[in-house]
Amino acid sequence: MRYLTFALAKGRLAKKTLALLEQIGITCEEMKDPDTRKLIFVNEELKMKFFLSKATDVPTYVEYGAADIGVVGKDTILEEGRNLYEVMDLGFGKCRMCVCGPASARELLKKNEIIRVASKYPVIAKDYFNNRKHQTVEIIKLNGSVELAPIVGLSEVIVDIVETGSTLRENGLEVLEEVCPLSARMVVNQVSLKMENERIHKLLEDLNRLIKEENK
Ligand code: PRP
């Protein structure tokens, strides 16, 4: 049997994913050692491998088949636009992609003004303004702490992830429009889904059953 390889987005999503997999009998003891510098972990019994990568790289590993299965946020899936199958909403990591800014920017979104939009997600931001709102905007790509942009005058609004809303509140900003809901998703390589159909379907069935139980 060949190995089934999982790519997990480092951080909270990976922790929650491993906890979920553990509940359906998929464990990886090696991975639990907090001091390890290893990058890839193996469960020989199950013939499975696991690795952690930067969230934005997960769709890349999966598209090329270096990983059969990935777990990553919907935000990254949309932004990266890779060829892969999104097979399941895992139901955690729930948040929203929103247009945010100071209350005074609300006006600018109504009129068809050319405004500047800062975001870590230029593809999502461009798609939202061009194709859904039909508003011409200038997108400015940032790499983090995007909330700074409207405060220091780099842009009028931002497109960013809102979870609790506390980052916005503490910086005098608010949600102006919602772009889409987000959560952790399971993605599968297109060839793997055919070649490893049985194993992957069993995994999806087990996960679906577990998630249903939990939501009862
Ligand atoms: C994310 C997001 C917001 C914040 C939202 O940032 O970009 O800044 O979390 O969460 P809240 O609504 O609960 O306050 P992250 O912590 O990933 O850091 P970054 O902005 O530097 O990428």
Side-chain angles (χ1 to χ4, degrees), residues 101-111 157 174-177:
S104 58
R106 213 173 275 278
E107 293 268 302
L108 302 172
L109 295 171
K110 281 190 207 128
K111 299 180 207 146
V157 297
E174 54 189 67
V175 171
L176 303 172
E177 288 172 2

Side-chain angles (χ1 to χ4, degrees), residues 68-81:
D68 302 287
I69 297 170
V71 175
V72 68
K74 179 69 178 175
D75 51 321
T76 306
I77 297 172
L78 291 171
E79 187 64 25
E80 295 301 311

Side-chain angles (χ1 to χ4, degrees), residues 96 98-106 109 147 150 157-158 162 165 167-177:
R96 303 181 293 156
C98 296
V99 180
C100 312
S104 58
R106 213 173 275 278
L109 295 171
E147 290 84 357
V157 297
I158 61 175
V162 179
T167 309
L168 292 178
R169 268 193 304 279
E170 288 183 29
N171 291 289
L173 305 172
E174 54 189 67
V175 171
L176 303 172
E177 288 172 2

Side-chain angles (χ1 to χ4, degrees), residues 12 95 120-121 143-147 158-169:
R12 265 186 300 176
C95 49
K120 265 203 312 197
Y121 302 92
N143 296 296
S145 302
V146 180
E147 290 84 357
I158 61 175
V159 168
D160 200 19
I161 293 174
V162 179
E163 194 182 350
T164 61
S166 54
T167 309
L168 292 178
R169 268 193 304 279

Side-chain angles (χ1 to χ4, degrees), residues 102 116 118 140 146-158 173:
R116 287 174 300 179
I140 302 172
V146 180
E147 290 84 357
L148 266 174
I151 299 172
V152 299
L154 176 65
S155 69
E156 281 74 36
V157 297
I158 61 175
L173 305 172

